[in-house]
Amino acid sequence: MTDQTTAEATAASIPTGGRQRAFTEFWHYYSMNTGAVIGLVVFTALVLVAIFAPLVAPHSPDEQFRDALLAPPAWQEGGKSMFLLGTDAVGRDMLSRLIFGARFSLFIGLVVVVFSLTSGIVLGVLAGYFRGWVDTLIMRVMDVILAFPSLLLALVLVAILGPGLFNAMLAIALVLQPHFARLTRAAVMAEKNREYVISAKVAGASHLRLMLKTILPNCMAPLIVQATLSFSNAILEAAALGFLGVGAQPPTPEWGTMLATAREFILRAPWVVTFPGLAILITVLAINLIGDGLRDAFDPKLKRS
């Protein structure tokens, strides 16, 4: 009885040990990229700031201080200590709006990536597995979407759907979807004729099981990297749509919208434009650095045998 219990415990610990070794190996190669580690630290800090925005922000993002219109940052002449990064044209604290803006930007990136990744995987798996007319139909639609400049297509879609944050996210997701579909299709085509897939097919596995449980898990590494890079693209596209006035609408503290409402004060009060621009720059740069690290960690060609 004791031997049987020991054997069961040993067998149960194997998957956990395998996952730990896989994570250790992944972190080893990821941590070799210093920029990726810095990007991960910055992005983690941004996520924490966004989550705890009500506790971190010194003021409400919509609170107006009529006695401090376009107040400069605290370190400049005329600045006030209660407004560390100054105020905008209607007296709202810039730091508080940037902190709450991180919530909107990260939420936009997350929703867009989840939607485009899910729909792109479904279309890519169907195209790569069944081939024939299914592959032709799906890929020609993806080619048509890719034929348009991404921002122009997003503008057209938002013009059709109407301005607003949700419609902007939907438009950006549709624009980014072909990248996931094409990448998934290529990975599925490379995996579907391998021995383990043929063995599962001979064993009587259904098409759905072959696609979702046999092939798809072995195609996730490049999709994770693409999802990371698309996260930064989604934030940039949302900021561009907000800047053009068809994304998030005022008084929403979204960084692109903040830039749009502040552009007429760029010479009088450059801080109202500089800080939202820096927030977008730092966030996108950190996410791109994480994507580079994930690519290095997942690419077997970069690993030593």
Side-chain angles (χ1 to χ4, degrees), residues 121-270:
I121 285 177
V122 171
L123 295 175
V125 169
L126 291 174
Y129 184 83
F130 289 109
R131 302 302 305 276
W133 68 268
V134 176
D135 181 25
T136 302
L137 176 62
I138 293 175
M139 286 300 104
R140 294 302 76 81
V141 173
M142 297 299 105
D143 289 340
V144 169
I145 295 176
L146 289 172
F148 292 91
S150 59
L151 182 58
L152 177 61
L153 182 57
L155 277 172
V156 171
L157 293 173
V158 172
I160 295 173
L161 299 172
L165 183 59
F166 177 78
N167 290 339
M169 290 190 292
L170 182 60
I172 297 169
L174 291 175
V175 169
L176 296 178
Q177 175 184 277
H179 300 286
F180 293 101
R182 291 169 65 91
L183 189 60
T184 304
R185 171 182 176 268
V188 170
M189 289 172 58
E191 294 290 328
K192 66 176 292 188
N193 293 321
R194 294 185 181 273
E195 290 82 359
Y196 71 93
V197 178
I198 296 175
S199 299
K201 187 182 299 183
V202 172
S206 64
H207 291 304
L208 189 62
R209 183 178 181 85
L210 285 172
M211 288 188 292
L212 299 183
K213 290 192 175 182
T214 306
I215 298 177
L216 184 58
N218 294 288
C219 305
M220 292 306 297
L223 291 173
I224 293 174
V225 177
Q226 181 62 40
T228 306
L229 299 177
S230 295
F231 198 106
S232 62
N233 289 336
I235 293 176
L236 279 177
E237 296 283 353
L241 293 177
F243 182 78
L244 295 173
V246 295
Q249 300 298 300
T252 304
E254 193 270 327
W255 294 335
T257 305
M258 291 173 64
L259 285 173
T261 56
R263 57 189 171 187
E264 59 183 296
F265 306 104
I266 189 171
L267 297 179
R268 289 178 52 198

Side-chain angles (χ1 to χ4, degrees):
M1 185 69 177
T2 304
D3 294 340
Q4 182 180 358
T5 304
T6 304
E8 291 175 354
T10 303
S13 65
I14 290 176
T16 303
R19 287 193 293 268
Q20 290 177 349
R21 286 192 298 271
F23 177 78
T24 301
E25 181 185 7
F26 165 80
W27 179 251
H28 169 72
Y29 289 106
Y30 183 90
S31 61
M32 291 175 65
N33 189 328
T34 305
V37 176
I38 295 174
L40 181 61
V41 171
V42 172
F43 182 72
T44 303
L46 285 170
V47 171
L48 292 176
V49 166
I51 293 174
F52 298 104
L55 301 177
V56 177
H59 306 283
S60 169
D62 299 324
E63 185 178 2
Q64 300 179 7
F65 298 88
R66 291 297 182 177
D67 59 338
L69 303 181
L70 290 177
W75 58 85
Q76 291 188 8
E77 184 180 356
K80 299 181 180 180
S81 58
M82 64 181 299
F83 305 121
L84 187 61
L85 299 183
T87 61
D88 63 8
V90 293
R92 294 173 297 194
D93 179 47
M94 287 294 298
L95 177 59
S96 300
R97 290 182 64 77
L98 288 174
I99 291 174
F100 278 89
R103 276 186 163 187
F104 286 93
S105 294
L106 296 178
F107 176 73
I108 290 170
L110 179 62
V111 172
V112 167
V113 167
V114 169
F115 182 83
S116 57
L117 176 65
T118 303
S119 57
I121 285 177
V122 171
L123 295 175
V125 169
L126 291 174
Y129 184 83
F130 289 109
R131 302 302 305 276
W133 68 268
V134 176
D135 181 25
T136 302
L137 176 62
I138 293 175
M139 286 300 104
R140 294 302 76 81
V141 173
M142 297 299 105
D143 289 340
V144 169
I145 295 176
L146 289 172
F148 292 91
S150 59
L151 182 58
L152 177 61
L153 182 57
L155 277 172
V156 171
L157 293 173
V158 172
I160 295 173
L161 299 172
L165 183 59
F166 177 78
N167 290 339
M169 290 190 292
L170 182 60
I172 297 169
L174 291 175
V175 169
L176 296 178
Q177 175 184 277
H179 300 286
F180 293 101
R182 291 169 65 91
L183 189 60
T184 304
R185 171 182 176 268
V188 170
M189 289 172 58
E191 294 290 328
K192 66 176 292 188
N193 293 321
R194 294 185 181 273
E195 290 82 359
Y196 71 93
V197 178
I198 296 175
S199 299
K201 187 182 299 183
V202 172
S206 64
H207 291 304
L208 189 62
R209 183 178 181 85
L210 285 172
M211 288 188 292
L212 299 183
K213 290 192 175 182
T214 306
I215 298 177
L216 184 58
N218 294 288
C219 305
M220 292 306 297
L223 291 173
I224 293 174
V225 177
Q226 181 62 40
T228 306
L229 299 177
S230 295
F231 198 106
S232 62
N233 289 336
I235 293 176
L236 279 177
E237 296 283 353
L241 293 177
F243 182 78
L244 295 173
V246 295
Q249 300 298 300
T252 304
E254 193 270 327
W255 294 335
T257 305
M258 291 173 64
L259 285 173
T261 56
R263 57 189 171 187
E264 59 183 296
F265 306 104
I266 189 171
L267 297 179
R268 289 178 52 198
W271 58 87
V272 296
V273 176
T274 302
F275 293 127
L278 284 177
I280 296 172
L281 171 65
I282 293 172
T283 303
V284 172
L285 179 60
I287 296 172
N288 286 340
L289 289 174
I290 293 174
D292 290 340
L294 291 175
R295 181 202 60 203
D296 295 346
F298 284 128
D299 192 347
K301 296 178 182 178
L302 301 177
K303 296 182 180 180
R304 300 174 183 175
S305 57

